Amino acid sequence: MIGRPSVPRSGWHPATVVANTPETTSAARLELEVEGWPGNAAGQHLDVRLTAPDGYTATRSYSIASSGPATGDVTRVVLAVDRVPDGEVSPFLVDVARAGDRVEVHGPLGAFFVWQPAAASAAAAGSGESDAAGGPVPSAPRPVQLIAGGSGVVPFVAMAQAHADADDATPFRLLYSVRTPADVFFAPEFERLVSASAPFRLDLVYTREAPAGWPMAPARITREALAEAVLPASDAPLVYVCGSTGFVERVASWLIELGHDARAIRTERFGGT
Amino acid sequence: MQHLDGNALAGALAEFLSFDVTTAIARCNGCGATDEFARAIVFTSPAGTVVRCPSCDHVLATLVESGDRAWLGFSGVSAIEVRRG
């Protein structure tokens, strides 16, 4: 079911950094091998805990860029972490963490900001269920509109990959607001997803610097640009919005003004700017 | 203070509760609205976490952690609907 998918139970797990590679000028892609990871649904997050030699701990939440069931005792989890200046955890993960470093992770967390392919959703729902708004589950899967600001795209690469892996026929669109071409997360993955057989469309909005020849001058997204780039309310899409608190609240209020059902909009704010 | 939303509560509350809090539905004592905790407005500070109703801003819940103890308050919630399984 769409509203409350069945997701693995969370817990604390020891994890080892397997790889740390630059993702953008300010972010790194981290592959972790997590002992006893139970698998996760696309869109879930985890908490990373670092412990200093004196016992001081710092914990932060990160969206998971990968998804899938557990595959044995040790499972690979992919994160993409943006460096928060003066942060307690992200500068370590982006600039310091190397293969072999150990951290602790708590997860998978959150069943709200999750998308699962129709087969998995139906299996989780059984029959005669109702959705989050209390209505009957639609017989056809609802089209999905994803809207990301900056590093808010991380859960969406997991959702789009799950959609492609299942060869799911649900129409999927991603509107991705990003500062410059160098700030695009998962650029090669999205290029592949666009040409995969599952229907997926990517619309990029550059806010500070656009590639040469780009038809639009760089600018923050407006209500009008949003209206043009997202599935119309008449298609009754499920809409997921992830980004800074300001971005998410601006976009969510415009979606309501454009006639989208508030119950069909799922938001995840990560604070910041 | 920059706020977050109830998705950010998932890890902290999974330490104490056996259900996923983001999809649990709370009824607000202030206005009677029912919403998933994920839709709540969450303020965090070194002193603790305050969860507010997205409809009326009433305080739904508080979380204060110190060393090996935590204090969980649900002063503004009259009921929580939890899905079994």
Side-chain angles (χ1 to χ4, degrees), chain A residues 19 21 23 28-32 44-48 62-66 77-81 93 103 105 154 185-186:
Chain A
T21 51
E23 183 66 34
R29 186 183 309 201
L30 284 139
E31 283 182 46
L32 304 176
Q44 289 198 282
H45 66 274
L46 53 68
D47 288 354
V48 174
Y62 297 101
S63 292
I64 305 169
S66 53
V77 171
V78 180
L79 307 178
V81 176
L93 293 176
V103 298
V105 305
V154 176
F185 282 68
F186 299 103

Side-chain angles (χ1 to χ4, degrees), chain A residues 165-266:
Chain A
D165 290 347
D167 202 14
D168 189 284
T170 308
F172 245 61
R173 281 180 74 160
L174 167 60
L175 174 61
Y176 183 8
S177 168
V178 68
R179 280 172 298 187
T180 76
D183 292 306
V184 175
F185 282 68
F186 299 103
E189 284 79 4
F190 282 124
E191 200 170 311
R192 281 200 295 276
L193 287 162
V194 165
S195 53
S197 59
F200 176 70
R201 173 170 160 173
L202 171 64
D203 294 290
L204 277 159
V205 172
Y206 295 98
T207 60
R208 297 212 188 138
E209 180 196 321
W214 192 256
M216 301 285 289
R220 272 166 69 162
I221 195 162
T222 61
R223 200 184 91 153
E224 290 64 38
L226 182 82
E228 279 183 28
V230 302
L231 291 165
S234 55
D235 286 3
L238 286 174
V239 187
Y240 295 79
V241 189
C242 186
S244 68
T245 298
F247 177 86
V248 167
E249 296 191 348
R250 220 161 35 241
V251 166
S253 67
W254 287 336
L255 289 167
I256 301 285
E257 290 171 19
L258 293 168
H260 289 266
D261 174 9
R263 309 304 309 176
I265 304 170
R266 287 169 186 244

Side-chain angles (χ1 to χ4, degrees), chain B residues 55-76:
Chain B
S55 299
C56 76
D57 211 34
H58 191 71
V59 173
L60 295 174
T62 54
L63 169 63
V64 175
E65 295 181 89
S66 178
D68 63 351
R69 293 186 199 197
W71 290 262
L72 274 169
F74 287 95
S75 62

